[in-house]
Amino acid sequence: SASEVRGNADFVTPKNGTEVDLNAFSVEPDVAGEETETVVLSPAVKGNVRALTSESIMERMRTLLPQVKAYNYPCVSARVVAALSLANDHDQTAFAMILPFLQSLVEAEIVSLQNAGDVHQQPHFINKRVCFSAYDYSSTMTTLGLVVGQGGGDMSNSIKALESVLVHAQNTNRPSFCFDLVIQCLQCMLSDKAVSEAMAGTCQTWFPARRFEKIISYYLTEMKDIKNYLQSPQSPISDDHIGVRYRLNDFVGRSIRFHLREILDTIPEGVIDFRVEKCAAERWGRVVEDGSVSSIMNFALERVNELALLYPSLFEFGEQRIPAFFKRSTSVRALSMKREDWRLLDEEGYEELLTDIVEARTFLLGARACTYTLDLLTWPGLKEHATNQGGFEAAEAIATTFRRLSIHSSSEHQHFALLADVRDLVSMLKDLSGLERTMAECEKFILSLIKKIANLPTSYKRKGGFISNIRACLYDSKGEHFPKAIKKAITESAYP
């Protein structure tokens, strides 16, 4: 609040002798209606920016970031942080509060350049293109495992580095003020082409100044995005900016898929097999044939997560409230409707019946996903095999980070948050009760409605009409089953 930042103690006298209030701000409502501090950039900062040189940036890197030796190679974030430090050289009080966060950005860039097989190896550059892209973490290397799949291998080191960036941001004192200070400095640096030229002059290899203009603009957007994240941790991650949150979300999804492949796609023959008769052949036939159990597990977790979002009461501790289906008036009458009633079906009745069918299908698929996931995770022999492959601990650690930082809330990988504790997931699925009865009722209604519509005259089922669309929706439900686990080879349960 304003009262917390006013006071004579916040006034300093910089080198130019002019008294400047570092906490000068105007109170304006942000997008969420809250009060935020808007920094008024001082003349001293603008003067410091104009005075930036390659020599001063190089010297500041050596003193500010000695542990990473970023001055020896083109680590662009180090140049930006050194320039920001020099821009606030008249007084480091405010800048010191955000410096740990800025240093974590440099360390994250360094990690993205390290050889994935040896994290102790000095960062190196494969080629100029990779070098130039390091600041957005697109040059990150991974360790491949036993199963090569889309998305590469484990990216735990980069995940930890990016997690550190967001944790340091969260731990910054007066974050709104500090991030506004950096944002204003970057805007000032962006308006002066000499700054980019000074940064380019610090690189030992060819690195054009115009690329530093792009980099400063990138970090300007990054600061705004992280500031927005601090104000609203569950805010959506935009594809328009490939920054820390975007990369962290991407790396989490790729890494968890990697660990699931390592465990589930290497299950020895004879431990588990699947029956796919009730499944849509185009959906699961080839997947099961190829032994890609992790792909089925990924889809199942998506459906479990969807079910939990739609019907959270199902997963409440204690007595669950099972939803009821086909209770709208048209659905209640559907099985007893005469032909004339079907011929006169209006749009309201059509929408009621179609909505009930879609809701029941979603529930059935989610409930079947729960059964499949529980059967797989408790399958005899899986625990020993998972342990031999390193266990679920690595995936759990990544999923825990994913959830703790709220990156999962608007992510397409949201379902992986369920893996934060596999034992808890198994316990949650075991606690589900009463699903079988509701599933049986839904399946019976759908089959009865299919037979009912099949007996209607062909003229009622013209393509694109209400009844034709209802029939198509009903028939689409036929392949919405998961492969059935078979072949019990060992008697031990994975997660009792």
Side-chain angles (χ1 to χ4, degrees):
S1 67
S3 61
E4 293 176 328
V5 295
R6 289 190 179 124
N8 293 333
D10 291 323
F11 284 83
V12 298
T13 302
K15 294 176 181 178
N16 61 9
T18 305
E19 189 175 57
V20 176
D21 181 7
L22 290 179
N23 294 324
F25 66 92
S26 59
V27 178
E28 299 176 353
D30 66 6
V31 292
E34 300 176 353
E35 291 185 349
T36 58
E37 300 174 73
T38 302
V39 172
V40 177
L41 203 62
S42 72
V45 171
K46 296 176 182 178
N48 291 338
V49 168
R50 288 194 296 270
L52 287 172
T53 64
S54 299
E55 292 74 17
S56 64
I57 293 173
M58 180 66 79
E59 182 59 31
R60 185 54 55 94
M61 275 195 295
R62 291 179 182 274
T63 58
L64 201 64
L65 305 162
Q67 70 278 16
V68 295
K69 298 181 180 178
Y71 47 84
N72 284 334
Y73 40 85
C75 173
V76 297
S77 58
R79 271 80 182 164
V80 173
V81 172
L84 286 170
S85 175
L86 290 165
N88 290 273
D89 221 15
H90 59 286
D91 185 84
Q92 293 282 316
T93 305
F95 183 76
M97 292 190 288
I98 200 170
L99 180 57
F101 160 77
L102 296 173
Q103 289 173 325
S104 71
L105 282 176
V106 177
E107 291 166 359
E109 182 180 354
I110 298 300
V111 169
S112 75
L113 295 168
Q114 286 177 322
N115 188 309
D118 182 8
V119 297
H120 301 295
Q121 179 175 317
Q122 282 291 323
H124 66 283
F125 298 90
I126 300 172
N127 55 49
K128 287 184 178 180
R129 288 184 179 273
V130 174
C131 164
F132 293 152
S133 300
Y135 63 91
D136 67 358
Y137 320 108
S138 59
S139 62
T140 302
M141 300 173 66
T142 65
T143 302
L144 298 180
L146 298 175
V147 181
V148 178
Q150 185 178 6
D154 178 65
M155 309 184 82
S156 296
N157 291 330
S158 289
I159 289 172
K160 291 175 183 176
L162 296 179
E163 175 189 9
S164 177
V165 172
L166 294 184
V167 170
H168 276 93
Q170 292 172 337
N171 293 337
T172 300
N173 292 327
R174 293 169 58 201
S176 180
F177 175 80
C178 287
F179 274 87
D180 277 343
L181 176 66
V182 172
I183 289 169
Q184 293 281 5
C185 287
L186 289 170
Q187 287 174 335
C188 185
M189 290 160 57
L190 193 61
S191 66
D192 189 344
K193 289 187 177 181
V195 173
S196 298
E197 293 172 357
M199 290 184 181
T202 66
C203 297
Q204 297 176 4
T205 57
W206 182 75
F207 205 115
R210 66 178 180 275
R211 294 194 175 180
F212 266 110
E213 292 177 15
K214 178 182 177 182
I215 289 163
I216 294 171
S217 179
Y218 170 87
Y219 279 112
L220 177 60
T221 305
E222 180 75 302
M223 295 305 111
K224 292 178 179 178
D225 183 74
I226 295 181
K227 179 190 172 186
N228 181 58
Y229 163 74
L230 295 177
Q231 294 173 338
S232 179
Q234 297 184 355
S235 58
I237 299 172
S238 173
D239 292 340
D240 296 333
H241 175 62
I242 312 300
V244 170
R245 292 200 300 150
Y246 182 96
R247 290 297 184 193
L248 184 55
N249 176 58
D250 177 43
F251 292 173
V252 164
R254 289 160 65 179
S255 293
I256 291 181
R257 285 188 175 88
F258 163 79
H259 288 293
L260 290 181
R261 288 195 301 269
E262 290 293 290
I263 295 173
L264 301 179
D265 294 355
T266 58
I267 297 175
E269 187 176 351
V271 172
I272 190 169
D273 203 350
F274 294 95
R275 187 171 64 244
V276 296
E277 288 86 349
K278 287 188 176 182
C279 304
E282 63 275 12
R283 171 175 287 174
W284 297 133
R286 180 62 64 85
V287 172
V288 171
E289 190 176 303
D290 291 345
S292 184
V293 180
S294 63
S295 295
I296 311 173
M297 182 64 163
N298 177 54
F299 182 74
L301 290 173
E302 288 180 352
R303 301 285 74 81
V304 172
N305 185 65
E306 181 182 42
L307 188 68
L309 293 175
L310 289 172
Y311 306 105
S313 60
L314 273 176
F315 299 88
E316 290 179 357
F317 180 77
E319 185 177 352
Q320 294 91 3
R321 296 192 297 275
I322 308 296
F325 296 94
F326 298 111
K327 297 301 181 182
R328 291 179 173 88
S329 59
T330 304
S331 300
V332 171
R333 298 184 294 108
L335 297 181
S336 61
M337 283 168 57
K338 301 183 182 301
R339 287 188 175 185
E340 185 67 11
D341 297 327
W342 282 101
R343 188 179 70 82
L344 298 175
L345 183 66
D346 58 14
E347 184 172 358
E348 181 181 357
Y350 161 73
E351 289 181 351
E352 283 189 351
L353 190 52
L354 195 64
T355 299
D356 275 350
I357 295 170
V358 171
E359 288 180 353
R361 284 178 57 188
T362 301
F363 168 78
L364 283 171
L365 192 56
R368 291 165 185 157
C370 290
T371 300
Y372 173 83
T373 303
L374 180 61
D375 286 349
L376 182 61
L377 292 178
T378 58
W379 195 256
L382 179 62
K383 183 177 182 180
E384 179 182 354
H385 170 71
T387 301
N388 292 338
Q389 297 302 110
F392 285 100
E393 288 79 5
E396 289 176 320
I398 295 170
T400 298
T401 296
F402 193 40
R403 175 183 286 178
R404 185 175 61 250
L405 295 175
S406 298
I407 301 297
H408 74 291
S409 57
S410 60
S411 169
E412 69 274 24
H413 309 308
Q414 185 183 81
H415 54 288
F416 285 144
L418 293 169
L419 295 174
D421 191 314
V422 173
R423 193 175 296 275
D424 279 355
L425 173 61
V426 169
S427 178
M428 178 186 76
L429 296 176
K430 281 183 175 181
D431 286 344
L432 290 175
S433 58
L435 291 188
E436 293 80 4
R437 179 178 177 180
T438 304
M439 290 171 65
E441 291 173 350
C442 289
E443 290 169 347
K444 181 180 179 181
F445 187 95
I446 288 174
L447 288 174
S448 299
L449 196 54
I450 288 174
K451 293 178 181 178
K452 182 76 175 181
I453 292 178
N455 291 326
L456 294 176
T458 303
S459 60
Y460 287 19
K461 295 174 277 189
R462 59 181 178 81
K463 189 174 181 180
F466 290 161
I467 296 176
S468 175
N469 290 343
I470 290 171
R471 182 179 65 171
C473 187
L474 290 168
Y475 273 91
D476 284 344
S477 69
K478 287 189 173 182
E480 293 177 336
H481 290 261
F482 283 83
K484 182 68 176 177
I486 56 175
K487 196 176 289 184
K488 234 177 189 178
I490 307 174
T491 58
E492 181 190 5
S493 176
Y495 288 91

